[in-house]
Structures are given as structure tokens and as C-alpha cells.
Amino acid sequence: MPSSREALKQHNIEPLPLAFKEHLGVLNRTAFSASGVDIATAAYVAELGYLATPVSTNIQSAEMHNQAINSLALISARATINSLEVLTMLTASHLYILRQALDIRALQRKFSVGLELIVNAAAFGEFMSPSQKAILAKKVLGAMTLILDKTSTMDSLDRMNAVVASTTTVFIDFLAGAEFADESFTATAIPLILQFRSQVASRATNLLDQLRRDYLSGERGPAPAAPFLNKTKPVYEFVRVTLGVRMHGSENYERFVNGLGVEDVSIGQNVSHIHEAIRDGKIQSTIVSLFM
């Protein structure tokens, strides 16, 4: 029997990997938006394990032990109904978290594109040939991307400062080449590194803040991650468009100026919308279409 990952790949459905300890808050490291769902999910899984406990040890004989084995179909039927209800709640929580993760992935993709434009537009490199600029930009972006993946739980400004700080070694190694042996050039280039770091950190922080505002406010549309999806796109759009479950974090972004739960519903309410759609069969045709 194939694993769940293999079964998904057989139907051209790519699983969504999440890094260890990666939170799903759109904002800074203080936004642990998925913690409550994580705790609830653990409770659902524990209950499913309890409901799967064998009942054969509790069998009772009848007719003065003449009927030693009795049907436990009634227990099985009731336990199955309860298990399906718990599994539906677990699936609803899972779908909600995946939609949040997909939107964050789409935001990160847009940020990576914008970051490349920022690096290429930076002032550093006036004394280099176009080919040297292209080589240096590629190395700088490689170093920055590596640190971006390691600093996803940091506050925006601290994160961008850490990202651009990683480029210093890249610059020094590149300028240590034979083609830059002129001491006057090195003396001129070193101060430009600090200027580059300051400019890129500031612009990258502003870009990330703007993208967060656009995604949370809906300016990017109700389903911003749809262009990046393939077979799973119908399920994503069902949750985002048909059910109207938005990306979470808009009130947090605005610092709850109007209070909690005024401009947006709670995570529990959104999970309940998905749960009701599964329970009532509204999502059934969408799921079936994935395997056709």
C-alpha cells in the first residue's frame, strides 16, 4: 500500500513541506496564529486513538454461556459515527492551516522577486562591468535567500538586518579577486558595502510590510496563491472564494484598533465553516474532481 505522499504524487499533487518549528503567523515572531489549532488537532488525534481501541475484551456471553460470542456491530456503528465526526474536525483544521501556509508561500515568492529587483537596483557596483555585477548579484542573492529561510521567526527589521549582514563575506571574497587588486578601488568599495546593507535592509523591510498589507487586506484578491497551484487549486479556491475564509492576521496587523473579532472572525469560526462544508457534502464534488 503506497504512503500518503506517494499517493498524492501519483495524482500530480505536491505535498506542502513545512520547516521544523515554522509558525504560520503572517506578522512577526509574536504571532503564533496556529497554536490553538495545533492544540485542538492533537486532541482530535488522541480522541481518534481512543475510539479505535478494541472492544473485544468487553464481550459478554449470553444464554448461560451457550452464546459465547455476540455481535458488537452496534458499538462499531456508533464508534464509526463518532470517529467520522472527529475526523471531519481534524480535516477542517488541516485544510485551514494549509490555506494559511499556501498564502504565506505565495507572499514569500513575491517577496523573493521584489528582493531581487532591490538588490539589482542598489547603488553598489558602479565600478564593475555588467558581467561582474551579474555574478556578484547572483552570489549576494544566494546568501540572502539562505538566511531568509533561517530567520522566518524574527521580527521584520531584525530579520532584514540579519539577511543583509550575511552579504558582507560575499562582498569581501568577491573584492579579494585579482581583478580588484587596486588598493584605491578597495578603499572606495568598502564604504559602499555599508551603504548597500542600509539601503537593501530598509527597502526590503518596506516591501515585506507592503506585501503583508496587500495580502491581509485582500488587495491581491481572495485567493492570492491560486496562480502557484496545480491540482490542489480547486480545494484552495473553494475555501478562499466559495466559503469566504480569508487569510488570518488582518486585525493583528492593525494592532486591534477596533477590538478583537470586529473586522474579522476568529480562527475557530473559520474552521467551523470548513467543517460544516465537509459535513454537509458541499466540498465533495471539489475533492472528487482532484482524482478525475
Side-chain angles (χ1 to χ4, degrees):
M1 182 177 180
S3 64
S4 58
R5 182 179 293 270
E6 292 171 346
L8 288 173
K9 287 190 175 182
Q10 287 177 2
H11 296 278
N12 297 322
I13 301 175
E14 283 294 328
L16 179 70
L18 294 177
F20 179 62
K21 290 187 177 180
E22 181 176 2
H23 67 83
L24 296 175
V26 186
L27 304 179
N28 298 328
R29 60 184 174 186
T30 55
F32 296 101
S33 60
S35 295
V37 183
D38 184 29
I39 295 171
T41 299
Y44 300 151
V45 174
E47 186 172 353
L48 284 173
Y50 164 75
L51 292 172
T53 303
V55 297
S56 56
T57 55
N58 299 312
I59 194 170
Q60 300 293 322
S61 62
E63 294 184 351
M64 296 179 292
H65 302 288
N66 186 39
Q67 187 70 26
I69 300 177
N70 295 300
S71 173
L72 301 180
L74 292 177
I75 299 178
S76 176
R78 286 192 295 270
T80 300
I81 293 175
N82 292 335
S83 298
L84 287 175
E85 177 65 18
V86 176
L87 182 61
T88 301
M89 293 188 290
L90 177 62
T91 304
S93 301
H94 184 62
L95 284 176
Y96 178 83
I97 292 302
L98 284 181
R99 301 317 102 187
Q100 183 80 357
L102 287 170
D103 284 346
I104 293 176
R105 286 291 188 272
L107 189 154
Q108 290 175 341
R109 180 70 177 271
K110 291 294 185 181
F111 177 77
S112 297
V113 174
L115 182 62
E116 184 176 355
L117 295 176
I118 291 173
V119 171
N120 291 331
F124 191 86
E126 296 178 356
F127 307 102
M128 299 181 187
S129 65
S131 60
Q132 290 173 333
K133 290 180 182 179
I135 294 173
L136 178 58
K138 184 177 181 180
K139 292 183 177 181
V140 166
L141 283 171
M144 295 177 72
T145 302
L146 182 63
I147 301 301
L148 271 174
D149 293 338
K150 295 181 179 180
T151 55
S152 62
T153 58
M154 294 178 65
D155 291 338
S156 299
L157 184 58
D158 294 338
R159 184 185 185 189
M160 294 306 119
N161 286 330
V163 167
V164 297
S166 67
T167 64
T168 301
T169 303
V170 176
F171 279 116
I172 298 299
D173 291 344
F174 188 80
L175 296 175
E179 63 269 33
F180 304 111
D182 188 355
E183 294 183 1
S184 60
F185 171 80
T186 304
T188 305
I190 293 300
L192 291 178
I193 298 177
L194 298 177
Q195 181 181 347
F196 173 89
R197 289 176 51 175
S198 176
Q199 288 180 352
V200 173
S202 176
R203 294 174 183 174
T205 301
N206 293 335
L207 173 63
L208 183 58
D209 183 71
Q210 181 64 47
L211 286 173
R212 285 171 171 169
R213 183 185 300 111
D214 292 346
Y215 273 72
L216 292 172
S217 65
E219 291 186 19
R220 298 273 175 166
F228 303 101
L229 302 178
N230 189 11
K231 292 275 280 188
T232 54
K233 182 177 178 180
V235 181
Y236 171 80
E237 291 184 332
F238 178 85
V239 175
R240 283 285 184 256
V241 181
T242 305
L243 298 182
V245 177
R246 297 173 48 193
M247 188 179 187
H248 178 74
S250 60
E251 287 189 330
N252 195 355
Y253 179 83
E254 299 294 342
R255 306 300 184 189
F256 303 99
V257 291
N258 296 321
L260 179 64
V262 177
E263 299 177 357
D264 196 7
V265 300
S266 67
I267 293 178
Q269 287 175 288
N270 281 327
V271 173
S272 295
H273 289 326
I274 302 174
H275 171 258
E276 291 170 359
I278 299 174
R279 183 193 61 193
D280 299 339
K282 296 178 181 178
I283 200 175
Q284 182 175 354
S285 59
T286 303
I287 299 297
V288 172
S289 67
L290 298 179
F291 303 95
M292 296 180 63

